[in-house]
Amino acid sequence: MTSPKMATSAKFTTFNKNTAYVIPVTKKSDKLVIGETNIEISDLAGVDLVGVGVSAELESLVRLSAPNGATYALLGVGTKPLTKDDLRNLGGAIARKLASFKDVVIGLPTSDSSETAVIFEGVALGSYVHTKYKGLTKGAEIKLQTVTVISSNKPAAAALNQISILAESVRLTRDLVNMPGLDLYPESLAKAVQAAAKGTGVTTQIWNEERLAKEGLGGILGVGQGSSRGPRLVKLEYKPKVGKRHLALVGKGITFDTGGFSMKAPLNMLGMNFDMTGAASVAAATIAIAKLQLPIRVTAWLCIAENMVSGTAQRPNDVIKARNGMTIEVLNTDAEGRLVLADGLSLASEEKPDFIIDVATLTGAVQIALGTRHAGIMGDQEAVDEVRGAAEEVGELVWQLPMASELRSLIDSEIADIANVKMGNTTGQTIIGGLFLNEFVGNRAKGEPDNIKWAHLDIAATAHNEGSPYGVVPKGATGSYVRTLVALAKRIG
Ligand code: BES
Ligand code: ZN
Ligand code: ZN
């Protein structure tokens, strides 16, 4: 399934059978009214909008019959001027709610071509459903083939190309993240990423267990040693001829997180196939950056393992050694994300990039702090500001948590350099995760300065949408923050 075809048409001509025509609904002096539109609406003149259930609420949509066997789709557009984010979300809602039509015509006014483009972006991102695992029963279907905006503000070919590249990368992320752990395991994730990168200008290296041992990646090996399906590290590189800056992306890629011997309760274990979202997101972003030929060098490090229980799994109290030489006392095998990222951040740091961002479904606590629509962001202030700026540009939500250094001593270890958790502690768990990761960036473990800007994005609450779809976000894997990463590469490149 790919995105529908997008077109603009300067004028409305006639109603076509089986086609949906989107008409805005707003309020004037507290009364529901049809908003500005270039679609013929004389047939709606006598309709009691309230009576037929129409609402001005953003994203609400009611269908009425239109001439020639066509359909009016009365879309709530709120009462305030529409922002770009609103338009993107409306595009998403249109794609989802009118998915049963092959052709949709949108009669929303746009003031320039970037507004038309953002509606298209919403359509491309919103037209996604996960049906791969439906067998005899039929899942929701997207029949949408063409979406036409009636407007003379036609986006340039380059803008449309960018939309399709971004949507494809978000789709790739969602497809990978939605896969059950049965089918997606370290080797198959690594291979899927390699296949997706082929022909895009991104080179791929896959390190197997032997190589992981040779390279001293004790974190990834420790977490992966309990599974019959061994861990992997994937290094993706995009090296354009132009561009002086180097961005490193590090992703948590736990293909299933049982918790290991510090096992999760059954209810908490559900959904833990999403624990590889960070790795999928950084891979998809790297591919998009390469396809867009952005002038910045990008290296992505995917830290991939399956966190299982077996006779070979790591035990609580084991001590492992990360790539940077730091020893870690594993008090809780369920805090495994930080163990694999310790290696990834160390490796990334060795190349002395200008900027490192790691992306991880790291802590359940981030959902308690921020709810389900904001990712937690921490790290060096300058880096956090850049990521926040990038997220704002593309309409994704992040919220900063402090690097509260007074919590760092909670993870002092009596026997190793650091512990992965403080047992029994419920205070600031997301922050402690960030403080732990900080130790593996640049020369920080030694207390020496480095020239790396680092940010950590905790996407544990936003990777997966268990509620109803909204805006451009479907049910299940969201693919959120892939576009933020691409925008970040644009800003710092
Ligand atoms: N993968 C989980 C985090 C998670 C929890 C993601 C819920 C999505 C939804 C992570 O590996 C984990 O288990 N973290 C622990 C850390 C704790 C032991 C400090 C957690 O959040 O409970
Ligand atoms: Zn865990
Ligand atoms: Zn995890």
Side-chain angles (χ1 to χ4, degrees):
M1 183 180 62
T2 53
S3 306
K5 277 220 316 259
M6 323 273 179
T8 54
S9 164
K11 273 211 311 273
F12 169 78
T13 46
T14 178
F15 287 101
N16 292 322
K17 201 170 165 125
N18 299 332
T19 299
Y21 292 81
V22 178
I23 313 283
V25 177
T26 179
K27 274 185 173 174
K28 226 181 217 158
S29 335
D30 240 19
K31 202 174 159 286
L32 269 192
V33 292
I34 307 279
E36 187 192 335
T37 182
N38 31 29
I39 290 175
E40 175 58 51
I41 49 164
S42 50
D43 272 64
L44 290 171
V47 176
D48 168 15
L49 294 177
V50 179
V52 295
V54 170
S55 153
E57 197 185 320
L58 269 175
E59 297 187 30
S60 81
L61 191 142
V62 169
R63 302 167 182 204
L64 294 175
S65 65
N68 303 344
T71 298
Y72 281 125
L74 293 159
L75 177 72
V77 298
T79 53
K80 296 191 209 102
L82 292 173
T83 63
K84 287 237 168 72
D85 292 343
D86 291 333
L87 287 170
R88 188 186 297 105
N89 288 333
L90 289 173
I94 289 168
R96 198 170 50 246
K97 297 189 176 186
L98 298 174
S100 60
F101 289 86
K102 272 208 219 133
D103 298 299
V104 169
V105 176
I106 301 177
L108 301 182
T110 56
S111 55
D112 59 32
S113 64
S114 72
E115 290 197 354
T116 316
V118 92
I119 296 176
F120 284 152
E121 184 180 37
V123 168
L125 295 168
S127 54
Y128 178 92
V129 282
H130 172 52
T131 50
K132 205 175 144 198
Y133 285 85
K134 287 289 183 188
L136 295 178
T137 60
K138 229 173 154 194
E141 244 186 302
I142 304 258
K143 294 200 184 128
L144 211 53
Q145 286 180 1
T146 65
V147 174
T148 307
V149 173
I150 312 265
S151 169
S152 45
N153 297 314
K154 188 178 174 167
L160 293 174
N161 184 43
Q162 163 161 322
I163 288 168
S164 86
I165 287 172
L166 287 175
E168 228 174 284
S169 270
V170 170
R171 217 167 265 274
L172 168 67
T173 309
R174 290 172 180 166
D175 281 344
L176 290 172
V177 173
N178 277 326
M179 281 177 77
L182 174 66
D183 296 335
L184 197 78
Y185 46 95
E187 189 186 9
S188 67
L189 174 56
K191 291 251 167 78
V193 166
Q194 187 170 48
K198 206 170 165 207
T200 64
V202 174
T203 59
T204 323
Q205 283 182 44
I206 301 178
W207 295 1
N208 63 14
E209 285 161 283
E210 213 174 284
R211 180 80 189 264
L212 296 178
K214 211 170 102 197
E215 301 282 352
L217 304 181
I220 299 175
L221 280 168
V223 174
Q225 75 191 33
S227 173
S228 58
R229 308 187 290 186
R232 296 288 183 273
L233 179 123
V234 178
K235 179 181 184 185
L236 299 175
E237 284 182 286
Y238 165 60
K239 284 187 187 168
K241 290 199 182 78
V242 284
K244 293 190 194 77
R245 299 295 206 85
H246 182 191
L247 168 66
L249 308 172
V250 180
K252 170 176 173 181
I254 302 301
T255 56
F256 198 83
D257 183 11
T258 65
F261 275 106
S262 314
M263 193 174 277
K264 289 185 182 295
L267 214 54
N268 295 342
M269 205 185 290
L270 286 180
M272 282 303 137
N273 52 319
F274 300 129
D275 216 18
M276 36 57 72
T277 304
S281 305
V282 303
T286 307
I287 290 169
I289 291 164
K291 286 185 186 167
L292 292 167
Q293 300 182 310
L294 298 186
I296 181 168
R297 177 176 163 203
V298 179
T299 311
W301 306 87
L302 281 52
C303 309
I304 307 176
E306 188 178 39
N307 192 20
M308 299 291 274
V309 272
S310 75
T312 62
Q314 71 178 348
R315 315 152 193 73
N317 289 120
D318 279 359
V319 176
I320 60 180
K321 190 186 266 186
R323 166 80 179 191
N324 71 343
M326 231 171 143
T327 56
I328 307 169
E329 187 182 12
V330 181
L331 295 179
N332 187 328
T333 61
D334 195 13
E336 82 298 338
R338 60 197 72 183
L339 303 179
V340 300
L341 292 174
D343 285 337
L345 288 167
S346 305
L347 279 169
S349 298
E350 287 169 23
E351 295 187 340
K352 299 192 176 16
D354 300 290
F355 200 114
I356 302 179
I357 178 166
D358 72 77
V359 185
T361 47
L362 204 73
T363 63
V366 77
Q367 180 162 346
I368 301 193
L370 301 179
T372 54
R373 296 194 184 184
H374 287 76
I377 174 108
M378 299 175 61
D380 306 339
Q381 193 57 49
E382 270 182 86
V384 168
D385 291 343
E386 287 289 1
V387 177
R388 194 181 7 219
E392 267 169 25
E393 274 176 35
V394 302
E396 295 184 319
L397 303 173
V398 298
W399 200 261
Q400 184 176 10
L401 297 173
M403 295 288 285
S405 55
E406 72 279 6
L407 299 177
R408 169 61 185 80
S409 61
L410 287 171
I411 45 175
D412 284 344
S413 165
E414 303 250 322
I415 59 165
D417 296 333
I418 195 168
N420 74 334
V421 298
K422 166 78 178 172
M423 287 308 278
N425 169 65
T426 53
T427 300
Q429 284 190 348
T430 303
I431 294 172
I432 293 172
L435 293 170
F436 179 96
L437 297 178
N438 177 59
E439 301 281 336
F440 299 89
V441 178
N443 306 322
R444 298 173 195 203
K446 290 183 252 154
E448 291 167 13
D450 53 57
N451 285 322
I452 300 174
K453 290 192 194 117
W454 164 72
H456 156 60
L457 198 59
D458 191 334
I459 56 165
T462 54
H464 177 226
N465 174 26
E466 282 166 30
S468 303
Y470 60 91
V472 299
V473 178
K475 238 181 144 43
T478 62
S480 296
Y481 307 103
V482 171
R483 290 182 303 116
T484 293
L485 294 174
V486 177
L488 178 69
K490 270 194 197 161
R491 283 171 82 94
I492 65 181

